[in-house]
Amino acid sequence: MAEKTLFEKICDREIPTDIVHEDDLCVCFKDISPQAPVHFLVIPRKPVARVAEAENSDQALLGHLLLTASKVAKDQGFAENGFRLVINNGPDGGEAVPHLHVHLLAGRQLEWPPG
Ligand code: 5GP
């Protein structure tokens, strides 16, 4: 069996992490190196490496990640001021961890375009 990814270990609570939401399909936790006052990651329990590796059968799962990010933003009270969702894909996209994750950033005015 392939070795678990870092984020699979977080899903399985093998690495202590500040989890803010979890359900059957995904886990949302605080980023270890926050780039904004709020910086969470929403990840599927299924180890999809990156969005480019997702398959048609993952359609509902991908939708669930976005809806979960929105729900967390509302539940935690920062949806009204706004937030940003980011998915980095591959080397040029800035992906460092090969387990699909949606960054949820909020709590300050975010700039555009990103660096
Ligand atoms: P990427 O650059 O792949 O889009 O983002 C990976 C993110 O995972 C980074 O924001 C990084 O700070 C975060 N990260 C890496 N290792 C850990 C960890 O062990 N725990 C948590 N909570 N976040 C991590």
Side-chain angles (χ1 to χ4, degrees):
M1 206 158 78
E3 197 181 328
K4 286 184 184 178
T5 64
L6 170 67
F7 285 179
E8 279 180 277
K9 290 179 183 168
I10 287 176
C11 281
D12 292 343
R13 293 181 175 268
E14 291 171 17
I15 296 174
T17 308
D18 213 339
I19 292 176
V20 298
H21 168 91
E22 64 181 322
D23 59 42
D24 289 351
L25 295 176
C26 74
V27 177
C28 176
F29 55 92
K30 290 186 181 175
D31 196 290
I32 204 168
S33 175
Q35 302 301 308
V38 176
H39 188 174
F40 299 157
L41 301 173
V42 186
I43 70 170
R45 290 190 185 276
K46 179 182 174 185
V48 178
R50 59 194 59 82
V51 74
E53 311 286 327
E55 298 172 348
N56 287 343
S57 58
D58 295 316
Q59 186 170 334
L61 178 61
L62 297 183
H64 184 74
L65 299 179
L66 298 185
L67 290 172
T68 298
S70 172
K71 175 181 163 39
V72 168
K74 289 173 193 157
D75 288 352
Q76 301 243 343
F78 53 81
E80 209 164 301
N81 280 349
F83 58 88
R84 181 174 294 170
L85 304 181
V86 175
I87 300 176
N88 297 325
N89 189 105
D92 281 1
E95 173 201 312
V97 178
H99 183 132
L100 176 60
H101 46 282
V102 179
H103 295 261
L104 169 53
L105 298 146
R108 67 171 168 83
Q109 180 63 60
L110 297 164
E111 292 171 9
W112 193 263

